[in-house]
Amino acid sequence: CSSDLTSLEAYSRPRVNGINAININEGDQLLEASLTTGSSEIVMALRSGRAIRFNESTVRPMGRTATGVRGVTLAHDKDEVVGMIAIDSPEATVLVVSEKGYGKRTDIDDYRVTNRGGKGVKTINVTEKTGALVAIKNVTDADDLMIINKSGIVIRIVVSELRVMGRATQGVRLITLKGNDEIASVAKIEHEDEEAEDAEVAAEDTTTDQPKEDNNSATEEKTDDN
């Protein structure tokens, strides 16, 4: 649950086997890395359904081998950070997804700025119905969302069709899961209109259906002329 701010110049001399980005304490692991501007708004989300917002200026620049500073305090021993986003655009909204397929969009302004290292605020109402929080993304109406569950089913969702709602709600069902299935991964991708996709498919089908030249007939005609 720590965070580290390092200048990009520190990574200007990479090695074949890579270089250290952060010193990892025992029982911890690197979860997320993001390019920031120096004044980005950072949001870290917890499995328990809470999130903290702070400005990156509160994290002083450190070397690559530093352990970093505490970004957020976990709610309990089994809690853990599930993701981090860096927001620079006022159009961006915070999207969170729970392990049982629920999710929602919320304005970044609904997350008050606090000191890093705190417990944060509720970002989704975690219940037995929703399951724990598993992902956080910064999205706009120009994005789509790809969700894959552990059974291998994938769904693509147009972000603009998800209404922006309050921070402490449980959200809406994004995907229907069967049995004990859960969300495995969530990714943000660029939006593409269905009309454009259909046009591409039609063009490919037209190319495939074009008749091939009959080389044998052409050879026979030439032979007859001689």
Side-chain angles (χ1 to χ4, degrees), residues 55-67:
N55 192 278
E56 71 163 304
S57 61
T58 64
V59 182
R60 63 181 179 83
M62 306 178 187
R64 288 187 294 101
T65 57
T67 304

Side-chain angles (χ1 to χ4, degrees), residues 93-106 111 123-127 129-137 139 145 147 155 157-159 161-177 183 186:
T93 55
V94 179
L95 185 143
V96 292
V97 180
S98 72
E99 63 185 352
K100 292 188 178 180
Y102 284 80
K104 62 172 182 172
R105 294 174 67 189
T106 304
Y111 295 82
T123 185
I124 189 171
N125 187 27
V126 172
T127 65
K129 182 180 179 180
T130 64
L133 187 64
V134 295
I136 181 171
K137 303 292 178 183
V139 298
L145 204 65
I147 301 176
I155 186 173
I157 298 173
V158 178
V159 171
E161 295 179 356
L162 299 176
R163 68 181 181 88
V164 178
M165 58 181 66
R167 182 173 48 76
T169 58
Q170 72 173 15
V172 296
R173 187 184 295 275
L174 301 180
I175 182 173
T176 300
L177 304 178
I183 301 300
V186 179

